[in-house]
Amino acid sequence: KSNTLNGPDRIVDGVEIQTKYCRTPTATFNEAFDGTGIYRYGNQVLEVPRGQRSGVVGKMAEAIREGRVPAVTDPAQAESMVREGRASYAQASRIARPGNPDSLAFDAQVHFANAALTSGIAFAAAGCRSLPTAPDKKAVLGDVAISAVQAGTKSLFTGVATSQLVRMRFARQATVLVRSGLEQTTRTGTGRRVVNAVASASCRKAVRGIAATNHVAKLLRSSIIGSAVSFGVATVPDIGSAMVGRMTWSQVGRRGAENFASNLGGMAGWTA
């Protein structure tokens, strides 16, 4: 979480967790020890792939008996030092790649909370705007509910699509291009301060130099891809409507320009 050497990957309910996912229990276990064979992660709990826990616990108990786990002398403590993750190694490998059921299900689960929040906000905003003056409140309430569901669905689709695209090879290439541009920017004092400030605000701690440039490059890449997906989600239905005669092409162009400006403004606001 703090990006410090051998620091925890995350903290859940005050418990520091170090995650290691390798193909076999032996490989997973070995990743938790340094070159001299000493456990690297202090009092952190080691999270391992589903199906590997028993094998890693046995090896951890043996390491404790051999004195290779600092401040731990009871081999029975190995049980509490190792926890089983929700995904197997094979599932985790698929989640890291785009375009498969495990990856899509994972992204849908991650973005569902944001989609639900978006629906709630859309419902409240539209309801406050329309209901007080509506002669038929029941009919308007139904329309407001449909609009809220549409907003949440759009948010969910945009989030999942963005996460999938970020895992693709072109996204890595985009990161390289963005980083090259940022490296040019950081050659000036103002540019360097801006990049360091954005990285520090995002990480909630001081980040400088190459680390800041790399972090901001990834943020901008994701923001650009997300904006492109959002623009497509908003524009494609309009194009479909124009093709069947429900909208004019000038209306499509005008709404497309508005969507583009909205996404551009959102990126600028996020950066600010």
Side-chain angles (χ1 to χ4, degrees):
K1 183 178 179 180
S2 63
N3 294 324
T4 57
L5 181 64
N6 295 331
D9 291 323
R10 66 187 193 280
I11 300 175
V12 180
D13 296 331
V15 179
E16 297 183 345
I17 299 174
Q18 180 66 221
T19 302
K20 294 297 180 187
Y21 270 61
C22 297
R23 190 179 299 276
T24 65
T26 298
T28 299
F29 172 80
N30 289 339
E31 280 294 310
F33 289 75
D34 63 20
T36 63
I38 302 299
Y39 185 62
R40 294 193 286 158
Y41 300 117
N43 61 352
Q44 297 173 44
V45 173
L46 184 65
E47 182 179 273
V48 303
R50 194 181 71 223
Q52 292 191 15
R53 183 178 182 275
S54 60
V56 175
V57 166
K59 294 179 181 298
M60 186 68 76
E62 182 62 28
I64 293 172
R65 281 190 287 269
E66 294 172 352
R68 296 194 289 123
V69 181
V72 180
T73 57
D74 183 4
Q77 287 186 249
E79 288 284 344
S80 61
M81 291 179 62
V82 182
R83 64 179 286 176
E84 186 171 69
R86 295 177 61 184
S88 66
Y89 173 80
Q91 286 177 316
S93 298
R94 290 192 292 270
I95 288 171
R97 298 192 299 270
N100 63 79
D102 285 316
S103 179
L104 290 167
F106 177 83
D107 287 341
Q109 183 178 6
V110 168
H111 291 286
F112 181 79
N114 286 336
L117 179 62
T118 299
S119 288
I121 293 173
F123 183 86
C128 290
R129 184 176 64 249
S130 304
L131 285 173
T133 58
D136 186 352
K137 288 183 169 47
K138 183 177 292 186
V140 171
L141 187 63
D143 292 339
V144 168
I146 291 173
S147 297
V149 171
Q150 289 175 337
T153 302
K154 184 182 294 185
S155 173
L156 179 62
F157 179 83
T158 300
V160 171
T162 300
S163 295
Q164 290 288 305
L165 289 172
V166 164
R167 294 189 180 96
M168 298 180 70
R169 180 173 298 182
F170 88 91
R172 293 194 293 271
Q173 295 170 341
T175 304
V176 173
L177 292 175
V178 174
R179 185 166 56 240
S180 298
L182 287 174
E183 287 171 352
Q184 296 297 320
T185 300
T186 56
R187 291 182 179 180
T188 67
T190 301
R192 186 163 51 252
R193 285 193 294 273
V194 170
V195 170
N196 290 343
V198 171
S200 298
S202 174
C203 296
R204 298 182 180 180
K205 71 183 189 71
V207 182
R208 299 286 186 270
I210 295 176
T213 300
N214 290 338
H215 183 73
V216 173
K218 292 179 180 179
L219 290 177
L220 286 175
R221 173 210 62 189
S222 298
S223 181
I224 291 169
I225 292 174
S227 295
V229 171
S230 180
F231 176 78
V233 168
T235 304
V236 168
D238 291 344
I239 294 175
S241 295
M243 293 178 68
V244 298
R246 290 204 297 257
M247 288 180 66
T248 65
W249 288 107
S250 62
Q251 289 175 315
V252 173
R254 184 171 63 252
R255 290 183 58 167
E258 292 172 354
N259 289 331
F260 180 80
S262 176
N263 282 305
L264 194 62
M267 288 183 60
W270 166 84
T271 304

